[in-house]
């Protein structure tokens, strides 16, 4: 998980009431994308979270061996 510097965040972002990236307040951000140095959770809206979080590795399905 990434650690965010609270200096550049608004009170609403630090409190989890606004997206840490785009500042959107509604719908309230729900995706946990990191933390602050005091271990508080940092939240993002689904669109921004998709850009912040690493992509899930692709599942590779093997062919049956002969």
């Amino acid at each position: 998980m990434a650690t965010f510097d609270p200096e550049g965040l608004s009170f609403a972002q630090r409190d989890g009431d606004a997206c840490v990236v785009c500042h959107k307040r509604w719908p309230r951000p729900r995706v946990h994308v990191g933390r602050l140095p005091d271990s508080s959770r940092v939240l993002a809206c689904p669109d921004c979270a998709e850009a912040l979080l690493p992509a899930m590795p692709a599942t590779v399905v093997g062919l049956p061996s002969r």
Side-chain angles (χ1 to χ4, degrees):
M1 265 306 136
T3 301
F4 288 79
D5 181 6
E7 275 298 307
L9 302 178
S10 69
F11 178 76
Q13 289 171 308
R14 290 189 306 265
D15 200 35
D17 290 330
C19 175
V20 71
V21 178
C22 71
H23 303 269
K24 186 165 62 171
R25 291 177 157 225
W26 188 259
R28 187 170 184 207
R30 296 177 185 235
V31 183
H32 180 210
V33 294
R35 60 185 175 84
L36 296 175
D38 69 357
S39 297
S40 299
R41 293 169 41 126
V42 175
L43 303 172
C45 64
D47 293 335
C48 292
E50 187 176 326
L52 286 175
L53 297 175
M56 297 295 288
T59 303
V60 178
V61 179
L63 296 173
S65 57
R66 292 184 182 184

